[in-house]
Amino acid sequence: MLSTLALAASLACAPMFAGAAPAAPADTAAPASANPATAADRQAFIDSLIGRMTLDEKIGQLRLISIGPEMPAPKLMEEITAGRVGGTFNSVTRKDNRPLQEAAMRSRMKIPIFFAYDVVHGHRTVFPISLGLASSWDMGVVEKAARISGQEAASDSLDATFAPMVDISRDPRWGRTSEGFGEDPFLVSQCARASVKGFQGTSPANPDSVMAFVKHFALYGAVEGGRDYNTVDMSPQRMYNDYLPPYRAGLEAGAGGVMIALNSVNGQPATSNKWLLRDLLRKEWGFKGVTVSDHGAIDELLRHGVASTGRDAARLAIEAGVDMSMADTRYLEQLPTLVKSGAVPMSLIDEAVREVLNAKYDMGLFQDPFRRIGRAADDPPDVNAESRLHRAEARDAARKSMVLLENRHRTLPLKKGGTVAVIGPLADAQIDMMGSWSAAGVPKQSVTLLQGMRDALAGKGQVTYARGANITDDPRVVGYLNFLNWDDPEVVQDKRADGDMIDEAVRVARGAETIVVAVGETRGMSHEASSRSSLGLPGSQLALLKALKRTGKPLVLVLMNGRPLTINWEKENADAILEAWYPGTEGGHAIADLLFGDANPSGKLPVTFPRSLGQIPTYYNALRIGRPFTPGKAPNYTSQYFEEEYGPLYPFGYGLSYTTFSMSDVRLSGAKLARDGQLTASVTVKNTGDRAGETVLQLYLQDVMASTVRPVKELKDFRKVMLAPGESRVIDFPIGEDKLRFYNTSLEYVAEPGEFNVQVGFDSAAVKEARFTLE
Ligand code: BGC
């Protein structure tokens, strides 16, 4: 492992520098190498720089500055020119970043700064949120979204992105569930790889690539109670088997950076966690890139109560292996005296500086500090120009990211004709289409459901509209959501009485053949610091739905939300439900494409939907227990909740299509698997309906008996297949020993001999099974 990551990093940057001289960085001395084409040259080049830097200049490289009110522009220029800044984030145009880089070129060492931003699921073009991208179960889609986002970001002068966010989240109360790829280690790991490949392209040095910072290391998705920033306390087995694999997958794919989580891990904040950052990340995994703290996290060591002074906090962080401090002043203020007093050895500073400079080297910045900034003459006259957007790709990704949850009496697809009533607080909400962390996306450029329906029906039918309800009537919630935006609030309440809005909506609905109603959460409700203590639709929206139901018209729900919701009434009463997540710039068009059948839904849930809040956690791959609930048997003295039906509302992997599929029994190529051998599990899948469509065949494995308790099942492979009506295909899943391995109680990565159940299905619950033995 150690060598793989190191090698990948050196190979990734090597070809970029052939024949190109780096910008002269020093005061008088020449750069270490005029042609640093190899990893060894990189080391010599960086050594030479470090050898000539003052302590203050070194500490300057460890500062990542948030561009904003805390750092006014003149002060920032002064700091950069003085060599006291390593990189910045939140400033996203060539025009804004050029003078900053010019200031860096006026500093004594002329070391370029880098520009980063949270480009998570889009930059100018906003793609579906990551949870939506994961719902595609199509790694081509995930990679392409990241590729285009990376290209757009690079063409706006950005060198790095704080993405992908690969925290496993099994608790939908956590608002950042929306930012990640769901609950499953295998699926999230696949998405992590695809994303990193997309952002970085063939190399983070390419002028059209950005360096990926995998975040939040580690285990941030497991905050207790789903309450943001809360404690994480977890067994090593759960960590290694379930929560750590996605970070590792992102790093193996070559990510140049890691962002450290805000939470503590088993009693030690990640930011001061030597085990996490040195033993695991560096030694065990061989990570050779740069680490950054999360926003203000070094300072927060005081509030965690593990540092009593700023001096302590800075010392703990640098000792733990935090290379760069994001948006706090502790490194700047404390490291000089810590080093001068001998409390922190210079070697620790040099080590951190080396990682920062290596990253800049790998971004190609020593070769040309302006490689992504370009010449002023080439700046886009309008950064938000339509021509800079990738609408077709965003529409395609959005179509593939939505999940059809219900479709009674084949309500969908709708016919293009007659009158459709489009209703709901999210039916015409441009900003909410984008979801959280929408980077440089512009709300005005996003297509709402209403617009999408109008475009689809133009010249063929009528679209009528009523808002019908506010997202919520709770002033406390509205106040919270608008907290940071009093001048330009995101949630604008309709002042009319609820009853009046509902009456209008009912009138509009009565005049239509079908009702399409967009309900869910505003984007701020599924965001950082937006943990929820309930998962239902707010009362105002449920009241609207109930009134619309009474009209007797076909009721189609389009859900927009960033986490699983408890939608029991909706499931029973809606004629169709399409989970659209936050679908991005082209969301409205994509939804209309699916509602009218111009595209066939193919998304599958990357998270389990619970029946109730009290049922959480509901993730599908739970460990086996001694008294499981067994369908068809008395529930007494079994593990369940007696007030409600057992099991989730919608299982992991679930999603419908406008066509139907059948699957044969599982055939195994043999009954025994040798250690160095391979078995094949095969199924024949058939499109039994009347439309072409895609589905996802999912392979789950269960270790029947092991030295430690193992999950009821674990996703180990999947295939998305497109089939014409009547077409069938044989799908083969190779199974080798690698798929059977897990971390045992001694944290050895082993496959134990014995029986294994192979399950294949269209979701995690509806599977067919076969069994083999590992010898
Ligand atoms: C978030 C990070 C993000 C950073 C910079 C923090 O609040 O936790 O995910 O990258 O801000 O915007």
Side-chain angles (χ1 to χ4, degrees):
M1 174 52 46
L2 215 143
S3 53
T4 322
L5 284 175
L7 186 68
S10 66
L11 288 180
C13 66
M16 294 307 117
F17 299 94
D27 39 1
T28 47
S33 162
N35 182 14
T38 65
D41 285 343
R42 182 180 77 167
Q43 187 167 343
F45 178 76
I46 302 294
D47 278 348
S48 147
L49 279 182
I50 295 177
R52 283 174 285 132
M53 290 166 78
T54 64
L55 176 60
D56 286 348
E57 284 165 340
K58 289 176 184 176
I59 292 167
Q61 287 302 310
L62 309 185
R63 288 180 74 206
L64 187 51
I65 304 288
S66 170
I67 307 266
E70 339 56 289
M71 180 65 91
K75 172 77 177 151
L76 178 62
M77 295 291 272
E78 195 186 306
E79 292 290 285
I80 296 174
T81 315
R84 278 198 291 267
V85 176
T88 72
F89 63 109
N90 288 342
S91 124
V92 295
T93 63
R94 293 155 60 129
K95 215 159 132 250
D96 288 342
N97 287 337
R98 184 174 296 109
L100 304 183
Q101 195 65 295
E102 284 167 354
M105 290 302 105
R106 289 195 296 275
S107 67
R108 191 183 76 91
M109 292 298 291
K110 298 184 175 31
I111 295 174
I113 58 173
F114 71 83
F115 303 98
Y117 196 37
D118 290 281
V119 178
V120 178
H121 57 104
H123 179 62
R124 299 268 165 208
T125 311
V126 181
F127 286 84
I129 55 166
S130 302
L131 201 57
L133 291 172
S135 302
S136 73
W137 292 58
D138 182 335
M139 294 309 114
V141 167
V142 178
E143 184 174 336
K144 195 166 199 177
R147 182 84 286 265
I148 291 172
S149 309
Q151 285 169 335
E152 288 187 357
S155 76
D156 270 347
S157 73
L158 297 170
D159 304 302
T161 176
F162 300 134
M165 188 283 217
V166 300
D167 304 317
I168 294 281
S169 71
R170 291 169 162 184
D171 190 331
R173 288 173 292 186
W174 193 46
R176 303 196 81 167
T177 299
S178 59
E179 263 177 80
F181 298 105
E183 74 185 28
D184 181 64
F186 183 77
L187 182 60
V188 179
S189 297
Q190 298 285 322
C191 293
R193 272 189 207 102
S195 264
V196 169
K197 270 167 68 185
F199 285 127
Q200 298 195 160
T202 52
S203 163
N206 294 346
D208 70 345
S209 290
V210 290
M211 182 174 277
F213 279 66
V214 167
K215 71 186 184 186
H216 304 84
F217 192 67
L219 321 182
Y220 186 22
V223 284
E224 272 180 12
R227 212 177 72 225
D228 211 359
Y229 316 126
N230 204 5
T231 299
V232 174
D233 206 284
M234 190 185 284
S235 76
Q237 283 73 37
R238 173 160 291 184
M239 233 187 247
Y240 272 74
N241 285 315
D242 299 341
Y243 280 81
L244 292 176
Y247 306 107
R248 192 167 181 176
L251 301 182
E252 284 176 358
V258 163
M259 183 186 291
I260 301 156
L262 291 161
N263 52 280
S264 61
V265 171
N266 293 349
Q268 190 58 246
T271 309
S272 54
N273 199 317
K274 268 192 198 165
W275 170 78
L276 189 69
L277 302 180
R278 292 201 182 272
D279 298 348
L280 180 69
L281 181 67
R282 299 275 182 203
K283 291 202 194 99
E284 203 173 315
W285 291 2
F287 177 61
K288 296 280 185 225
V290 64
T291 59
V292 302
S293 72
D294 200 343
H295 205 284
I298 298 179
D299 207 39
E300 288 173 19
L301 293 177
L302 281 105
R303 267 172 267 146
H304 271 110
V306 297
S308 54
T309 57
R311 180 181 159 89
D312 259 6
R315 182 182 53 77
L316 287 172
I318 195 88
E319 282 176 359
V322 180
D323 297 329
M324 289 192 99
S325 85
M326 178 194 284
D328 64 32
T329 52
R330 297 301 179 186
Y331 271 10
L332 176 76
E333 289 160 4
Q334 305 299 337
L335 287 180
T337 51
L338 280 166
V339 174
K340 282 174 197 148
S341 68
V344 165
M346 184 66 101
S347 59
L348 270 190
I349 307 288
D350 286 351
E351 213 175 83
V353 172
R354 175 179 304 285
E355 300 306 355
V356 176
L357 297 181
N358 280 346
K360 292 182 180 185
Y361 188 104
D362 293 347
M363 291 171 192
L365 291 174
F366 286 113
Q367 187 192 9
D368 176 6
F370 296 90
R371 70 196 288 108
R372 297 182 186 87
I373 295 173
R375 299 180 317 148
D378 300 329
D379 284 357
D382 171 10
V383 287
N384 295 318
E386 266 299 315
S387 57
R388 303 187 82 213
L389 298 185
H390 293 82
R391 287 193 179 272
E393 294 87 344
R395 184 168 178 164
D396 183 60
R399 285 165 156 196
K400 292 175 174 156
S401 71
M402 297 184 201
V403 185
L404 184 64
L405 297 176
E406 297 292 337
N407 193 15
R408 290 202 174 81
H409 323 298
R410 303 184 85 177
T411 302
L412 296 178
L414 304 175
K415 288 192 191 56
K416 280 193 187 157
T419 302
V420 180
V422 174
I423 293 173
L426 291 166
D428 197 22
Q430 285 186 306
I431 199 162
D432 296 307
M433 300 308 283
M434 304 197 302
S436 66
W437 298 104
S438 53
V442 175
K444 273 204 306 254
Q445 291 180 319
S446 52
V447 179
T448 65
L449 170 62
L450 180 60
Q451 188 58 48
M453 296 296 280
R454 282 184 176 146
D455 290 348
L457 277 184
K460 299 184 186 107
Q462 288 284 319
V463 175
T464 50
Y465 167 72
R467 176 162 165 153
N470 283 318
I471 204 84
T472 173
D473 288 334
D474 188 339
R476 175 196 171 90
V477 174
V478 176
Y480 184 80
L481 296 173
N482 286 335
F483 177 66
L484 291 175
N485 310 293
W486 288 117
D487 298 337
D488 186 16
E490 277 203 16
V491 181
V492 181
Q493 294 295 85
D494 193 317
K495 298 277 183 323
R496 288 177 292 168
D498 281 6
D500 293 348
M501 290 171 76
I502 290 183
D503 288 349
E504 181 196 46
V506 166
R507 260 195 321 277
V508 168
R510 288 222 167 92
E513 279 84 62
T514 314
I515 311 168
V516 173
V517 51
V519 288
E521 305 177 294
T522 64
R523 68 175 193 157
M525 292 167 77
S526 271
H527 198 314
E528 180 177 348
S530 290
S531 298
R532 289 187 65 186
S533 61
S534 59
L535 293 174
L537 288 182
S540 57
Q541 298 189 55
L542 204 52
L544 169 66
L545 291 184
K546 288 182 175 168
L548 293 174
K549 173 73 184 170
R550 287 194 289 272
T551 65
K553 305 270 178 178
L555 184 61
V556 176
L557 256 60
V558 174
L559 288 178
M560 292 183 206
N561 47 296
R563 51 157 68 85
L565 298 176
T566 49
I567 45 170
N568 300 279
W569 184 91
E570 296 82 343
K571 177 177 163 44
E572 289 310 313
N573 289 281
D575 294 289
I577 305 180
L578 182 68
E579 174 56 83
W581 309 115
Y582 299 110
T585 307
E586 276 292 305
H589 284 144
I591 298 170
D593 290 341
L594 292 171
L595 294 184
F596 288 112
D598 294 328
N600 192 348
S602 63
K604 301 275 191 173
L605 294 177
V607 276
T608 305
F609 272 46
R611 289 178 193 278
S612 63
L613 189 74
Q615 217 190 15
I616 295 169
T618 48
Y619 58 91
Y620 82 95
N621 46 354
L623 294 180
R624 285 165 66 188
I625 54 174
R627 294 188 179 188
F629 171 87
T630 311
K633 295 209 173 143
N636 308 63
Y637 297 101
T638 70
S639 187
Q640 43 91 47
Y641 299 98
F642 68 80
E643 296 144 305
E644 66 186 11
E645 207 177 309
Y646 180 81
L649 196 62
Y650 295 110
F652 173 82
Y654 172 85
L656 302 172
S657 162
Y658 293 152
T659 189
T660 48
F661 299 94
S662 69
M663 195 191 79
S664 68
D665 286 338
V666 182
R667 300 180 295 273
L668 279 174
S669 60
K672 292 193 189 323
L673 174 63
R675 287 273 154 181
D676 54 354
Q678 189 172 290
L679 279 183
T680 305
S682 309
V683 291
T684 306
V685 55
K686 182 171 183 190
N687 181 342
T688 50
D690 50 11
R691 296 179 55 113
E694 280 183 290
T695 191
V696 181
L697 273 298
Q698 303 162 32
L699 175 91
Y700 297 88
L701 290 176
Q702 185 200 40
D703 200 339
V704 176
M705 210 208 66
S707 60
T708 176
V709 178
R710 303 282 298 123
V712 287
K713 63 182 71 184
E714 293 173 290
L715 182 72
K716 290 292 174 179
D717 207 348
F718 57 85
R719 295 271 190 292
K720 191 160 190 178
V721 283
M722 165 63 92
L723 293 171
E727 185 184 353
S728 57
R729 194 171 310 159
V730 175
I731 307 295
D732 292 332
F733 291 104
I735 301 172
E737 193 217 19
D738 56 315
K739 284 204 168 61
L740 312 180
R741 287 176 169 230
F742 67 100
Y743 288 92
N744 66 15
T745 44
S746 313
L747 295 184
E748 295 150 344
Y749 194 49
V750 294
E752 295 180 355
E755 290 183 315
F756 288 83
N757 285 326
V758 185
Q759 304 181 341
V760 184
F762 296 118
D763 63 53
S764 59
V767 291
K768 292 187 176 169
E769 198 170 88
R771 189 177 275 206
F772 69 89
T773 304
L774 174 69
E775 297 188 307

